[in-house]
Amino acid sequence: MKPFFAWLLPPLAIAVGLLFAGLAGGGCPCDTAVDEFAAAQSGLEREWLIQLPFDASMARVEHVVIGDGIVVAQTGDGNVHAVQAADGGESGPRAGTLLWTHSIGHAGGPMPPAAIGPDLVTVARDKDLYALERATGQHRWHHRLGHLTGAGPAHAGGWVYLPVGAENMLRLPANPHRAAAAPTPAEKTDKKKPAKGAARKKTSKDTAKPSTESLLPVEIATDGVVHDPAQPYRGGVLWCTTAGKLVSIEPGETGWQRNEFLLDRTPAGKPLVHEDTIFAATADGNLVRIDPLDQPGGGLRLTWRALLDAAPEPNLFLSGDKLVVSLGDEGLAVYSAATGELLGRTWFPGRIVSVCGGRIWLFDQVGRLSSIDLATGERRDRFCLGGFSFPVVNQSTDRLILASPNGVLVSLKPMPE
C-alpha cells in the first residue's frame, strides 16, 4: 500500500503546475500589489490566490462575479468556476478553495455575467438559462429561452429574474419544487404617467393577491428595455430601463406592489442598492438618492439630488457614509451618502475597481493599479498591473480582487488594525 503522501503528490503536483503555468503566462506577482511585501506597505494582505483550471491557450476570463462568500468566474470555453471567498469554518472549505467547475453551452456563445443566489448560481448562455447548486455546482434545472438575452439573471426573494424580449422580465422560481404560496407580481395596469421625479400611484389591480401562486414562468412588463441586470430590493426586485425608469416590485400586506420612479435620463450603469436606499447616476451628470415612502402602498421618493461636473462612469461605490463616483477623465468625487454634500474632489482619472482599506483602487490611464486616500484625496500607491489586467469591479465587499485573463485570481483584504 502506498503511504498517504504518495497518493497526495499527483493532484498536488497538478495544482502547483497549473498555478505556476498561470503565473508564467502573465500573472506574475512581481512588482504588483499581489506581492505580499508590496501589499503590506499598502495596508493589505493576500487572502488567497488560485489558478482556474481551463485551457488558457483556447479561452480567456470573460466575467468575474463577487457574491457573499463566493466568487464565480466565467471563461470563454463555456466553463463556470466557483471559488470559496471566505473561510468556511471548521468543517467548511478554506478561502481560496476551488469549489467546482461546470461546463455550460459551448465556446463562443454569448454569455452575460452569472448571478449568485443563496442556494444557486444561474448562468444564461445563448438561448438557455442554467441553475447550478451553489455549494457543489450540480445541475439543478434548465430553462429554454425563446431568444437571446442581453442582460444577465438576478436572484431576489426566492425567484430568478431575467430580461427577455424588448420590454419583459421573465420570472422563474429558484426552487421549482417548492410549495406555491407567495403572491404573484401584478401586471402593470395604470397607464397614466406620473409627474417628473415622482412615484406612480397604485390601483387596486396592482395589489390584487390570488389565493395561490403558480410556479410556471411569468413575464412581467418592464416598461422599457432593461439597462442592467435586476437586483434584490426590499424582499422583491428592482430594475432600471434605458430611458431612466426605476421599477421595484415588492411584497406587501395585500400582495405584490409595483413602485416606479422617473429619472427621466439615461442611467450611467446599474443603481447601487444599500439596504432600502437606492443611489443612481445619470449619463448627463445627475446623482440621486432614493428611499422608500413609509406609507400604505409604499412608493419611492427623492431624498437628495447632486449635480456632477462631468459625466459619471457606470459604477458607484459606498464606503461607510461616503459615496464614491468616478468621473472618467475628470477624476473622481466623494459625496455624503446621507446629505449629498460634496466631501472631496480629485482630478486623478481612472476606472475604480474597489474601495478597500480606506483607499479607492483604480486602473489608471497609463495601465497601473493606483490608490487614492478616501479621506484626503491624495494618491497613495501605484503598482504595475503585470498580468493582472482583467478589471474586476467589486461593489459588494471590502476586498480588492485582481485577475489575469488566463485565470489567476487573487484576493487582497485590509490588514487588521
Side-chain angles (χ1 to χ4, degrees):
M1 178 179 292
K2 293 183 179 180
F4 173 75
F5 66 84
W7 294 103
L8 182 63
L9 281 176
L12 182 61
I14 293 173
V16 173
L18 282 171
L19 179 59
F20 277 96
L23 293 177
C28 179
C30 301
D31 300 323
T32 72
V34 179
D35 179 82
E36 291 183 285
F37 296 103
Q41 294 178 354
S42 301
L44 301 175
E45 60 178 305
R46 195 166 71 194
E47 187 175 23
W48 50 264
L49 181 151
I50 190 173
Q51 166 71 57
L52 301 177
F54 70 98
D55 187 352
S57 67
M58 301 295 292
R60 287 289 184 266
V61 172
E62 292 191 359
H63 303 292
V64 177
V65 182
I66 301 169
D68 182 16
I70 188 174
V71 172
V72 173
Q74 297 159 263
T75 49
D77 56 1
N79 280 315
V80 183
H81 314 266
V83 179
Q84 180 76 17
D87 193 351
E90 294 182 1
S91 59
R94 298 183 60 184
T97 300
L98 180 69
L99 296 175
W100 48 265
T101 293
H102 193 103
S103 180
I104 295 289
H106 56 82
M111 181 170 60
I116 301 172
D119 304 306
L120 296 177
V121 172
T122 50
V123 185
R125 183 101 194 196
D126 295 326
K127 297 181 180 180
D128 298 275
L129 180 64
Y130 300 89
L132 310 175
E133 187 174 286
R134 171 177 164 143
T136 66
Q138 293 183 2
H139 181 273
R140 285 301 174 218
W141 51 262
H142 161 252
H143 183 79
R144 180 69 175 172
L145 306 172
H147 37 69
L148 299 176
T149 179
H155 293 251
W159 302 95
V160 177
Y161 295 87
L162 181 71
V164 292
E167 296 188 3
N168 286 290
M169 181 76 69
L170 176 66
R171 190 207 67 177
L172 301 161
N175 179 4
H177 307 294
R178 74 185 190 204
T184 302
E187 292 285 341
K188 177 179 179 291
T189 58
D190 186 1
K191 298 297 182 181
K192 183 180 179 181
K193 293 185 178 180
K196 183 176 180 181
R200 182 177 65 84
K201 293 183 178 180
K202 306 297 159 301
T203 68
S204 60
K205 295 181 180 180
D206 284 320
T207 56
K209 180 180 179 181
S211 58
T212 60
E213 177 181 26
S214 171
L215 295 181
L216 294 175
V218 173
E219 289 193 4
I220 306 168
T222 58
D223 274 356
V225 178
V226 177
H227 190 267
D228 286 284
Q231 50 190 317
Y233 183 66
R234 290 171 58 84
V237 67
L238 172 79
W239 67 79
C240 187
T241 69
T242 55
K245 176 179 283 189
L246 283 168
V247 180
S248 73
I249 296 180
E250 309 164 28
E253 293 182 359
T254 59
W256 291 89
Q257 58 189 35
R258 180 182 183 118
N259 298 314
E260 298 177 1
F261 185 93
L262 301 181
L263 298 174
D264 276 342
R265 297 168 175 86
T266 303
K270 184 170 67 172
L272 175 65
V273 174
H274 178 68
E275 298 177 347
D276 291 348
T277 297
I278 304 167
F279 299 98
T282 62
D284 63 351
N286 276 265
L287 180 67
V288 297
R289 170 175 170 161
I290 301 164
D291 288 288
L293 284 170
D294 186 15
Q295 65 180 28
L300 299 171
R301 64 176 175 85
L302 178 68
T303 302
W304 55 254
R305 181 188 302 272
L307 297 179
L308 307 173
D309 57 11
E313 293 289 304
N315 298 305
L316 303 174
F317 296 82
L318 187 65
S319 178
D321 184 46
K322 294 182 173 64
L323 184 65
V324 184
V325 187
S326 174
L327 302 175
D329 294 342
E330 301 300 320
L332 56 90
V334 180
Y335 289 83
S336 166
T339 65
E341 176 189 1
L342 179 64
L343 302 178
R345 182 74 165 83
T346 175
W347 277 262
F348 189 80
R351 179 180 182 181
I352 303 175
V353 292
S354 179
V355 178
C356 170
R359 303 184 191 190
I360 304 167
W361 294 91
L362 47 86
F363 283 18
D364 65 26
Q365 291 186 318
V366 295
R368 291 180 179 270
L369 176 68
S370 297
S371 74
I372 305 295
D373 191 291
L374 182 59
T376 67
E378 299 175 343
R379 190 171 70 188
R380 298 291 300 274
D381 307 285
R382 177 179 281 187
F383 295 104
C384 173
L385 280 175
F388 299 95
S389 58
F390 184 87
V392 180
V393 177
N394 183 9
Q395 298 168 282
S396 305
T397 70
D398 64 344
R399 300 297 195 261
L400 173 61
I401 306 292
L402 300 176
S404 68
N406 63 348
V408 180
L409 299 183
V410 184
S411 174
L412 300 168
K413 68 176 182 179
M415 297 180 69
E417 297 181 359

